[in-house]
Amino acid sequence: MVSKKMEKELNNQLNAEMYSGYLYLAMAAYFEDSDLSGFANWMRVQAQEELSHSMRFYDYIIRRGAKVSLDAIEKPNFEWGSPLEVFDHVLSHEKTVSGLINNLVNLAIEENDHATNNFLQWFVEEQVEEEESASAALNKVKLASDTHNGILIIDSEFASRVYTPDSQE
């Protein structure tokens, strides 16, 4: 069992992960409207990853005998000024999610909830990877943003990204 406070915070994170998936789908739609299907693909893969993260929280909440509580998902932004602006938002968003995960770890430690702390360690490492991936993509977009040809080259590269389910799914 988890405490009521932990149950509430795990459900908040479940909702945050679902919002992340929704946000990345909005970004994919922005890129589709801009005829940048490779960028859209990158975001669709990101959305799939985030939705799989939400299911990890969903399953964990149930496994711990707690109640899943689904809230309304906030409507994400659908308009950006450029691919660079989108990827700035991606990195900022991933840093925010890292902070949310860190807060959950702090709560698990505070409550001596070793099982939840152990569960959350996967997400701590995952967020390191998420920030690294977002930063690398942002840097590529920065380098390419001065030329249309550069954006098209990055678009072609991003088209090859594929979703790979985690081994625990």
Side-chain angles (χ1 to χ4, degrees), residues 11 18 38 50 69 71 77 91-92 98 101 107-108 127 133 138 165:
N11 274 295
M18 294 186 104
E50 300 302 338
S69 176
D71 293 327
N77 184 21
L91 181 56
S92 174
S98 293
I101 296 296
L107 178 60
Q127 282 309 121
S133 175
L138 173 60

Side-chain angles (χ1 to χ4, degrees), residues 91-137:
L91 181 56
S92 174
H93 180 73
E94 289 302 335
K95 287 179 178 181
T96 297
V97 173
S98 293
L100 294 173
I101 296 296
N102 290 339
N103 290 341
L104 274 173
V105 170
N106 291 340
L107 178 60
I109 291 168
E110 177 185 310
E111 294 193 350
N112 292 318
D113 185 343
H114 301 291
T116 300
N117 186 17
N118 184 59
F119 166 73
L120 292 169
Q121 292 309 306
W122 183 89
F123 288 96
V124 170
E125 178 60 29
E126 176 66 11
Q127 282 309 121
V128 170
E129 293 172 15
E130 294 284 6
E131 286 186 36
E132 180 182 36
S133 175
S135 181

Side-chain angles (χ1 to χ4, degrees), residues 21-99:
Y22 207 44
L23 173 65
Y24 289 126
L25 283 178
M27 291 174 172
Y30 165 79
F31 284 122
E32 290 290 357
D33 288 344
S34 301
D35 292 325
L36 292 170
S37 60
F39 280 84
N41 177 67
W42 197 97
M43 294 300 171
R44 287 175 66 109
V45 169
Q46 196 67 21
Q48 287 176 289
E49 287 182 6
E50 300 302 338
L51 294 174
S52 75
H53 297 168
S54 70
M55 291 309 299
R56 279 179 178 258
F57 278 97
Y58 179 94
D59 291 339
Y60 183 76
I61 292 165
I62 291 171
R63 286 181 58 215
R64 298 298 294 155
K67 183 177 180 178
V68 169
S69 176
L70 300 176
D71 293 327
I73 300 172
E74 180 184 341
K75 182 178 180 178
N77 184 21
F78 277 84
E79 297 295 329
W80 290 272
S82 68
L84 183 58
E85 188 178 319
V86 174
F87 277 91
D88 274 331
H89 190 118
V90 168
L91 181 56
S92 174
H93 180 73
E94 289 302 335
K95 287 179 178 181
T96 297
V97 173
S98 293

